């Protein structure tokens, strides 16, 4: 069970004290207590406990007289016991601390977020993490444009993990509650056209990450995509990313990440089914191995593989068999395409979440990955989680 303790007691107390004389209607606050228990191993005979407990607290202050301006913060304390490593860990973080405001500029809404908050690229597979920075977005008559700039060097490395070059892995001390992450400057700009034709949306984005310490490992990603309806309740989304990367020790080249999915939505029990694929280049034709920015596992093997030299074919479904219960089933075939395409393994997972009350939720899941050639990469996991908000 995973207890999400988004609490930074000292920080939260200070924030509440500082806003103690604010009008009551302008201040919202709350917290969450979460439990996540995992039993995991290479097979059913060697399952080990991984127990995570989190406590979190958040606060949101609406600036008087400015209905579209607010300051928000969230803090977390996390305890983990890993039976496989026979170690326990204590971590703290401020995962949200931002100002948000919207103004009318030339009769068009301009929204600005500044501080620490999550930023994700269009694919959600290149960058998807908290970062300290500024984001601005403006809606024009037929399109929307936005820009972002951020810095990672003040983040907690225990909560935010970024992809290093294989020749230079980043290591941090797990016995520290807060350790500074690698220093990167990240910037992005994008444009989206919500109704290019019919209800189809077109989008384009450029994202760049520049390493500021150690050997340079700079990456630039250009993404284009489309999404919209195909027929009745059948929808699609697709993105193609071409990247350029340069590592100080060599390894300059062009990379590719392609992602596509189609989903059909039924009226019966909110049933939806989907299928798709993700391709991350290896040494294929003109391409070099693709490396994202945030560490995001490509599949569930024990070696935590990233989206590098991987082709993954996916299928899944979600359904609400009864009110407040959402069940899901996902499966995938994984191929190693680092040099030549070859079948790598199979994974599947099944689970359900039950929203018992508006402030209480529990869930259970089972996942398994079976590698074709290396049993040491196999993974079995049973999980039980619960969250109470207050």
């Amino acid at each position: 069970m995973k207890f999400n303790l988004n609490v930074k007691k000292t920080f939260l107390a200070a924030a509440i004290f500082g806003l103690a004389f604010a009008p009551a209607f302008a201040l919202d606050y709350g917290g969450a207590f979460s439990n996540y228990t995992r039993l995991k191993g290479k097979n059913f005979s060697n399952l080990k406990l991984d127990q995570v407990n989190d406590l979190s607290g958040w606060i949101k202050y609406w600036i008087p007289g400015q209905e579209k301006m607010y300051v928000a913060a969230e803090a977390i304390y996390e305890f983990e016991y890993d039976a496989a490593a026979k170690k326990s860990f204590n971590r703290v973080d401020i995962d949200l601390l931002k100002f948000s405001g919207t103004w009318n500029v030339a009769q068009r809404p301009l929204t600005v977020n500044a501080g620490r908050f999550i930023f994700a690229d269009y694919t959600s597979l290149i960058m998807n993490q908290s970062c300290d920075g500024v984001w601005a977005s403006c809606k024009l008559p037929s399109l929307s444009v936005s820009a972002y700039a951020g810095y990672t060097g003040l983040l907690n490395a225990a909560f935010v993990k970024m992809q290093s070059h294989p020749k230079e892995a980043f290591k941090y001390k797990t016995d520290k509650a807060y350790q500074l992450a690698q220093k990167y400057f990240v910037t992005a700009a994008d444009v989206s056209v919500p109704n290019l034709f019919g209800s189809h949306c077109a989008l384009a984005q450029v994202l760049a990450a520049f390493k500021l310490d150690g050997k340079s490992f700079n990456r630039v990603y250009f993404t284009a995509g489309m999404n919209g309806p195909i027929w009745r309740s059948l929808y699609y989304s697709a993105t193609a990313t071409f990247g350029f990367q340069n590592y100080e020790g060599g390894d300059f080249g062009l990379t590719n990440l392609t992602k596509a999915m189609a989903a059909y939505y039924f009226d019966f029990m909110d049933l939806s089914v989907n299928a798709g694929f993700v391709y991350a280049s290896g040494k294929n034709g003109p391409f070099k191995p693709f490396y994202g920015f945030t560490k995001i596992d490509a599949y569930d093997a024990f070696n935590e593989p990233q989206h590098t030299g991987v082709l993954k074919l996916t299928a899944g479904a979600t359904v609400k068999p009864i009110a407040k219960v959402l069940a899901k089933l996902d499966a995938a075939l994984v191929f190693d395409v680092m040099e030549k395409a070859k079948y790598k393994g199979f994974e599947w997972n099944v689970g359900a979440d039950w929203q018992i009350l508006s402030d209480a939720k529990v869930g259970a899941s089972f996942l398994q990955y079976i590698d074709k050639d290396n049993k040491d990469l196999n993974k079995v996991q049973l999980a039980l989680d619960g969250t109470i908000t207050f």
Side-chain angles (χ1 to χ4, degrees):
M1 287 195 160
K2 180 175 186 177
F3 291 171
N4 286 326
L5 255 198
N6 292 340
V7 142
K8 277 188 174 181
K9 297 182 179 178
T10 303
F11 170 81
L12 186 58
I16 293 175
F17 177 80
L19 298 174
F21 299 101
F25 65 85
L27 183 64
D28 294 325
Y29 57 90
F33 181 63
S34 302
N35 180 74
Y36 191 56
T37 300
R38 288 176 289 182
L39 294 173
K40 60 183 182 180
K42 298 174 185 177
N43 52 59
F44 288 100
S45 63
N46 69 345
L47 297 180
K48 301 292 185 180
L49 174 68
D50 184 20
Q51 177 73 34
V52 179
N53 301 104
D54 293 348
L55 178 63
S56 63
W58 60 270
I59 190 168
K60 189 173 186 179
Y61 174 63
W62 293 90
I63 298 175
Q66 303 291 335
E67 62 180 23
K68 295 182 179 180
M69 295 185 191
Y70 65 87
V71 178
E74 182 178 70
I76 182 171
Y77 164 75
E78 181 174 273
F79 170 80
E80 178 181 6
Y81 174 70
D82 186 343
K86 297 181 180 180
K87 291 182 179 180
S88 60
F89 309 93
N90 291 279
R91 310 178 183 107
V92 295
D93 195 26
I94 298 176
D95 51 358
L96 175 67
L97 181 60
K98 75 170 183 178
F99 163 81
S100 181
T102 300
W103 301 265
N104 285 324
V105 178
Q107 298 183 335
R108 298 295 171 190
L110 171 67
T111 299
V112 175
N113 290 337
R116 178 170 298 183
F117 52 91
I118 292 176
F119 180 79
D121 76 292
Y122 278 137
T123 71
S124 292
L125 297 180
I126 300 172
M127 179 178 180
N128 191 350
Q129 65 176 68
S130 294
C131 199
D132 297 320
V134 178
W135 174 83
S137 175
C138 184
K139 290 185 178 180
L140 302 175
S142 59
L143 55 84
S144 295
V145 295
S146 67
Y148 176 80
Y151 175 68
T152 66
L154 299 178
L155 302 173
N156 189 347
F159 285 89
V160 176
K161 296 179 174 60
M162 291 163 286
Q163 179 68 50
S164 300
H165 193 275
K167 295 180 180 179
E168 189 182 15
F170 174 74
K171 296 182 180 180
Y172 68 96
K173 297 179 180 180
T174 57
D175 59 344
K176 288 188 175 182
Y178 200 112
Q179 180 175 346
L180 297 180
Q182 297 177 86
K183 298 176 182 178
Y184 276 93
F185 172 70
V186 185
T187 185
D190 57 68
V191 58
S192 62
V193 184
N195 297 296
L196 182 63
F197 58 91
S199 298
H200 297 262
C201 175
L203 52 90
Q205 182 179 61
V206 57
L207 186 150
F210 303 96
K211 194 167 183 288
L212 303 179
D213 57 352
K215 290 186 177 180
S216 64
F217 182 32
N218 303 325
R219 286 153 282 181
V220 181
Y221 309 92
F222 299 91
T223 299
M226 292 281 294
N227 61 71
I230 298 175
W231 175 75
R232 293 186 178 179
S233 296
L234 180 62
Y235 294 83
Y236 78 96
S237 65
T239 59
T241 300
F242 294 93
F244 292 93
Q245 62 191 31
N246 185 24
Y247 177 63
E248 188 174 324
D251 199 13
F252 170 83
L254 174 68
T255 65
N256 175 246
L257 175 73
T258 301
K259 175 184 176 183
M261 186 189 75
Y264 192 89
Y265 299 89
F266 297 85
D267 293 330
F268 175 70
M269 294 194 297
D270 290 335
L271 173 65
S272 69
V273 295
N274 63 78
F277 74 90
V278 176
Y279 163 76
S281 64
K283 300 173 184 178
N284 314 132
F287 299 119
K288 294 286 188 177
F290 179 86
Y291 299 108
F293 180 68
T294 304
K295 275 191 172 182
I296 301 172
D297 292 351
Y299 52 98
D300 290 315
F302 247 118
N303 64 339
E304 299 180 335
Q306 302 303 296
H307 288 81
T308 304
V310 171
L311 171 63
K312 184 177 177 181
L313 307 179
T314 64
T318 63
V319 64
K320 279 190 173 181
I322 58 176
K324 299 184 178 180
V325 173
L326 179 66
K328 67 175 183 178
L329 172 66
D330 294 295
L333 296 174
V334 181
F335 296 84
D336 180 350
V337 294
M338 181 57 77
E339 295 184 359
K340 295 182 178 180
K342 60 181 181 179
Y343 174 65
K344 178 64 176 172
F346 171 78
E347 69 175 6
W348 69 285
N349 67 77
V350 60
D353 292 317
W354 178 23
Q355 190 75 47
I356 304 173
L357 300 170
S358 60
D359 54 3
K361 181 176 73 173
V362 295
S365 64
F366 169 79
L367 70 82
Q368 184 176 26
Y369 170 76
I370 303 172
D371 197 86
K372 175 179 177 293
D373 300 315
N374 189 349
K375 293 182 179 180
D376 287 337
L377 301 182
N378 288 353
K379 187 174 182 180
V380 173
Q381 178 176 289
L382 296 164
L384 178 66
D385 66 88
T387 300
I388 298 175
T389 58
F390 49 87

